[in-house]
Amino acid sequence: MGRHTLVTLGAVAVAILTGAVQFFDQETLHGPFLLDDRGTVTQNPCVKPEIPGSWERLWTYDYWCHQKLTDKDSHKSFRPITTLTFRWNYSFHGLDTFGYRVTNIAMHAVVCGLSVLAVVRSMVYPRLLEAFAAAIVFAVHPVHAEAVSNITGRAEVLSALLYLCGFLCYTTAHVRLPSGSWRPSNVLRFCLAYAALMAFTVLALLSKEHGITLPVMCAGWDAVTASGLSMRALVFGWSRHYTAEQRGRWRGWAARTCVLAASTLAVAYWRLSLNGETEPKFIKEQNPAAYADSRMERGLSYSWLYIRNLGLLVIPTQLSPDWTGGIIPNVESLSDWRVVPIACLYASLLAWLVWVMSPPTRA
């Protein structure tokens, strides 16, 4: 085992310990069930093996396990992998919150360790020190308390763990087909990485719905890190304004992305088919923006949520285990002061897009 491998493993171990120790306090480990914990654990029949038919219901009922996924009154949230981990907890120690919280903390710690490797893989020129620093910032960021300290937040933590596993499988075994040729060993390696990626995508999706975006992130990594394409090259890389080598890299990326896109659409179609022919049913308190009176109000309200989340990333002073129930009021008119930061956000995105799409200047 080389020196670099030992240093990498040490960095991963420190990140794991850092992610774990900050949550080892009396209130976090022994706190009571709160809010949605009633629906996900204490009153969830799929969590309790002694209830007849609970195993079958786990795979056909929604997250709260009281309505079939195909029922018209179901909210259509389907997270059987997360519920399965609650079921394992219940089998070992019943409704003692200590075990549930330790499991959440352990999962978060593993995510922190994997983040070291994920950041290294994301760098065009990998540097372990910078990756380790980024992982430590991730590990100690206060916003993670919303998921880790909240038992129901396991859906986010577990999905993140599976998400990173899939990303690392794909990036570690990734093959640059244009430069590496179509040798059988290269093709087999890519196929195995692709199969692992899609397996982890399904598992992450069945832990929380945003797991479906994993192949999209891998396609982005492929474009920027593996293929070295700029934003402009992603759009115009096929044209003769680029060299034959650049066009070859673009074609390789486009082929791999088409495979990922087709597979992602197939998985999304399969998941939506489980819902039956009815739409998800929510109440206004759960998602006020979706019940806005106009499209303008709905669009502004959702845009403000992006701003709010960015704010929590930078200044995480106000945290909550549940942001529903009108905690964040809708943006109902253009006279609302929140329209100004929303406009600044989209203006900044537009300026960035114009900048990255502009042709490079020549000396």
Side-chain angles (χ1 to χ4, degrees):
M1 186 179 292
R3 180 175 178 274
H4 179 74
T5 301
L6 289 173
V7 172
T8 301
L9 291 176
V12 171
V14 172
I16 289 174
L17 290 174
T18 304
V21 296
Q22 62 176 322
F23 291 104
F24 275 88
D25 60 86
Q26 185 71 16
E27 292 183 359
T28 299
L29 291 174
H30 297 282
F33 290 107
L34 298 171
L35 301 172
D36 285 345
D37 294 344
R38 180 178 60 181
T40 56
V41 180
T42 61
Q43 296 183 13
N44 189 334
C46 291
V47 170
K48 303 171 182 178
E50 70 270 15
I51 296 180
S54 62
W55 177 255
E56 291 75 15
R57 293 176 69 166
L58 174 65
W59 306 103
T60 55
Y61 280 59
D62 61 25
Y63 194 30
W64 308 131
C65 213
H66 289 291
Q67 292 175 316
K68 282 190 174 182
L69 199 59
T70 54
D71 287 351
K72 62 181 179 64
D73 293 327
S74 171
H75 50 70
K76 309 297 184 184
S77 294
F78 185 56
R79 304 168 188 173
I81 302 301
T82 301
T83 304
L84 184 61
T85 65
F86 290 141
R87 187 182 174 97
W88 290 338
N89 277 125
Y90 182 85
S91 297
F92 281 107
H93 49 75
L95 293 177
D96 182 359
T97 58
F98 177 80
Y100 294 89
R101 296 183 185 281
V102 167
T103 303
N104 277 22
I105 294 170
M107 288 182 178
H108 173 65
V110 174
V111 169
C112 293
L114 292 177
S115 67
V116 176
L117 305 178
V119 175
V120 169
R121 291 292 175 188
S122 300
M123 292 178 168
V124 177
Y125 303 104
R127 295 182 178 88
L128 182 59
L129 180 60
E130 287 86 339
F132 174 69
I136 293 299
V137 171
F138 175 86
V140 301
H141 200 292
V143 78
H144 295 309
E146 292 189 344
V148 181
S149 298
N150 178 20
I151 293 175
T152 300
R154 182 178 301 179
E156 284 86 354
V157 182
L158 179 57
S159 184
L161 193 158
L162 296 167
Y163 203 100
L164 289 179
C165 286
F167 175 73
L168 290 172
C169 283
Y170 186 79
T171 56
T172 300
H174 184 272
V175 176
R176 301 183 187 182
L177 291 178
S179 59
S181 79
W182 289 88
R183 290 179 298 179
S185 59
N186 282 351
V187 174
L188 177 61
R189 189 180 179 189
F190 177 77
C191 289
L192 291 175
Y194 165 77
L197 167 66
M198 296 314 300
F200 278 112
T201 298
V202 172
L203 291 173
L205 170 64
L206 297 181
S207 300
K208 191 163 185 178
E209 289 73 15
H210 57 223
I212 191 66
T213 63
L214 172 55
V216 178
M217 187 180 74
C218 289
W221 170 86
D222 190 349
V224 176
T225 304
S227 300
L229 299 174
S230 65
M231 183 67 72
R232 180 177 173 81
L234 288 178
V235 179
F236 302 108
W238 51 270
S239 69
R240 295 191 177 277
H241 293 289
Y242 292 85
T243 65
E245 189 270 338
Q246 289 174 320
R247 293 198 301 273
R249 284 191 282 119
W250 182 88
R251 285 193 294 268
W253 168 80
R256 292 187 294 272
T257 299
C258 285
V259 174
L260 291 176
S263 303
T264 304
L265 290 174
V267 171
Y269 177 81
W270 165 75
R271 170 60 187 87
L272 291 173
S273 70
L274 299 179
N275 291 347
E277 299 179 355
T278 57
E279 297 293 326
K281 185 175 181 179
F282 295 99
I283 59 176
K284 186 174 182 179
E285 287 72 19
Q286 293 174 322
N287 191 354
Y291 287 83
D293 295 331
S294 66
R295 290 184 178 180
M296 182 192 74
E297 180 183 342
R298 188 179 304 115
L300 290 174
S301 298
Y302 278 125
S303 297
W304 175 247
L305 294 180
Y306 304 147
I307 300 275
R308 190 63 183 264
N309 287 332
L310 286 172
L312 289 177
L313 184 65
V314 180
I315 310 175
T317 56
Q318 293 182 332
L319 303 176
S320 172
D322 191 343
W323 287 96
T324 60
I327 293 179
I328 304 177
N330 282 355
V331 182
E332 297 179 351
S333 69
L334 293 175
S335 61
D336 193 307
W337 69 270
R338 292 174 291 178
V339 171
V340 175
I342 291 172
C344 291
L345 172 66
Y346 286 113
S348 301
L349 290 175
L350 180 61
W352 173 80
L353 187 61
V354 170
W355 177 65
V356 298
M357 293 299 291
S358 299
T361 57
R362 295 183 179 180

